[in-house]
Amino acid sequence: MKRNSNDEEESLKYSSAVDTSNITFQRKKESKPDKEHLWKGPMEEDGWVHAHNALRGELQDIKEALQSFPRNYPNGAPLWTIEFITSVWKEHEKHVISHHTNEDEIMTPFMKERIILPEKLEEDHRYIVECMKQVSTCIESLKEGDSIDGVVNALLAYEAILIPHLLEEERVALPLCRAYFTPKEVRSKVFKMSMSSPPVEMGSFIHYMTEESFRTKFMKQEGMPWFVWWLVMRPKYRYFLKHVKEPLDSLRNGQETDKSQVEVGCW
């Protein structure tokens, strides 16, 4: 799906961090953008950025696995690689859809109580989903021995839409959120999203942040009790390792792995 020129012009507006003091974003006089000083950590350590890092990392790893095919499988894709690509891509789709749902149904309505957000941030989700569908179509059409060039091209087109969108949210929505809301107000939303997220989403979040940083820094930052790791987060992390990381490692290494036998860590 091609974006129109108005969308492209809108993107150029936010090539750097937004000015949160600009009153065009202020919905109510009593809701002022005066809360940035309450946020102790830098924006790059915000959970929103870490959620985006998970999407970026996941996409990069998928791309690298696919780009290894000419070297690993010069005679075309073996059947097992198609099965692995299909299963990993389905997990990535779940991740993206859940991420969008969290934004559209939880964070955006919450933020709109005080902020006038650019409509483009929500509209971009439609373009991203359309690009994901193109990748899915290319993967579904694969047969044993096929080239995966079509999948790679569709993935690059998807990447070209997704990555700028994530950056734009970090330059616009995130600074506005931290200006108009306190950490305590946002924390309840973060906890709700993290508890309800599908295994792949939270598992990816932990993987690309690293387990140590998640347990020692992020959980403390968000006020999560220690037992949440064992009851909720660890199973999701292990799910990601088994259903995404291990298959991608197999594709990159050119060696099929029996996913049912994969060991993904210890207590």
Side-chain angles (χ1 to χ4, degrees):
M1 176 180 279
K2 184 176 174 59
R3 295 169 64 175
N4 60 46
S5 58
N6 289 336
D7 289 331
E8 293 169 358
E9 290 172 7
E10 190 76 10
S11 291
L12 292 174
K13 278 193 205 176
Y14 305 116
S15 57
S16 59
V18 72
D19 178 7
T20 58
S21 66
N22 188 331
I23 62 170
T24 60
F25 296 112
Q26 188 174 348
R27 187 171 294 279
K28 302 173 185 177
K29 283 186 177 181
E30 61 271 23
S31 299
K32 300 185 183 301
D34 57 359
K35 300 170 181 65
E36 290 175 77
H37 68 285
L38 299 174
W39 293 82
K40 303 305 181 186
M43 257 189 287
E44 55 266 28
E45 291 300 324
D46 192 278
W48 206 337
V49 175
H50 282 297
H52 286 177
N53 287 344
L55 289 170
R56 283 185 281 250
E58 210 171 280
L59 179 56
Q60 180 65 26
D61 284 347
I62 292 171
K63 184 172 71 171
E64 288 179 3
L66 294 178
Q67 290 176 334
S68 73
F69 270 56
R71 178 184 73 251
N72 290 334
Y73 320 106
N75 297 320
L79 183 59
W80 71 267
T81 65
I82 296 173
E83 292 171 351
F84 276 32
I85 292 168
T86 301
S87 65
V88 168
W89 182 251
K90 285 181 179 178
E91 294 296 335
H92 182 72
E93 283 185 307
K94 290 179 199 173
H95 184 169
V96 175
I97 294 301
S98 176
H99 180 80
H100 286 178
T101 300
N102 283 335
E103 290 179 342
D104 294 343
E105 297 183 5
I106 298 176
M107 284 305 298
T108 298
F110 169 68
M111 291 176 64
K112 281 183 173 180
E113 293 173 7
R114 301 178 189 173
I115 305 167
I116 300 173
L117 290 170
E119 292 181 3
K120 178 182 173 297
L121 294 179
E122 290 180 83
E123 292 171 353
D124 274 357
H125 291 177
R126 180 165 50 93
Y127 293 104
I128 291 167
V129 169
E130 287 299 320
C131 286
M132 281 201 306
K133 287 179 180 177
Q134 292 298 317
V135 179
S136 297
T137 298
C138 290
I139 291 174
E140 289 165 5
S141 69
L142 285 175
K143 300 184 296 297
E144 186 172 12
D146 280 353
S147 163
I148 63 158
D149 288 352
V151 177
V152 172
N153 290 336
L155 189 76
L156 293 175
Y158 163 63
E159 180 185 48
I161 293 291
L162 178 67
I163 299 304
H165 168 74
L166 300 180
L167 183 58
E168 197 167 336
E169 285 187 338
E170 292 164 10
R171 288 172 171 171
V172 182
L174 177 57
L176 288 171
C177 182
R178 289 165 68 108
Y180 281 90
F181 295 92
T182 68
K184 184 177 179 181
E185 289 172 318
V186 174
R187 189 173 294 137
S188 63
K189 304 300 178 184
V190 172
F191 187 74
K192 180 179 180 180
M193 290 185 291
S194 63
M195 294 297 286
S196 63
S197 67
V200 64
E201 182 177 19
M202 202 66 228
S204 182
F205 186 101
I206 296 166
H207 175 67
Y208 291 103
M209 174 186 286
T210 76
E211 177 186 344
E212 181 181 2
S213 291
F214 181 82
R215 295 180 66 181
T216 62
K217 295 180 182 178
F218 187 77
M219 288 184 65
K220 182 178 179 181
Q221 171 186 303
E222 300 302 325
M224 295 182 186
W226 64 269
F227 58 82
V228 168
W229 168 255
W230 300 104
L231 295 179
V232 180
M233 301 305 175
R234 181 178 178 275
K236 292 183 177 186
Y237 177 46
R238 288 169 65 87
Y239 180 95
F240 174 83
L241 295 179
K242 181 174 182 179
H243 294 277
V244 179
K245 183 181 183 302
E246 293 292 345
L248 288 176
D249 287 346
S250 293
L251 292 171
R252 272 195 297 258
N253 296 335
Q255 296 181 338
E256 182 177 8
T257 301
D258 182 352
K259 288 187 287 184
S260 67
Q261 300 300 316
V262 168
E263 292 293 333
V264 292
C266 60
W267 287 89

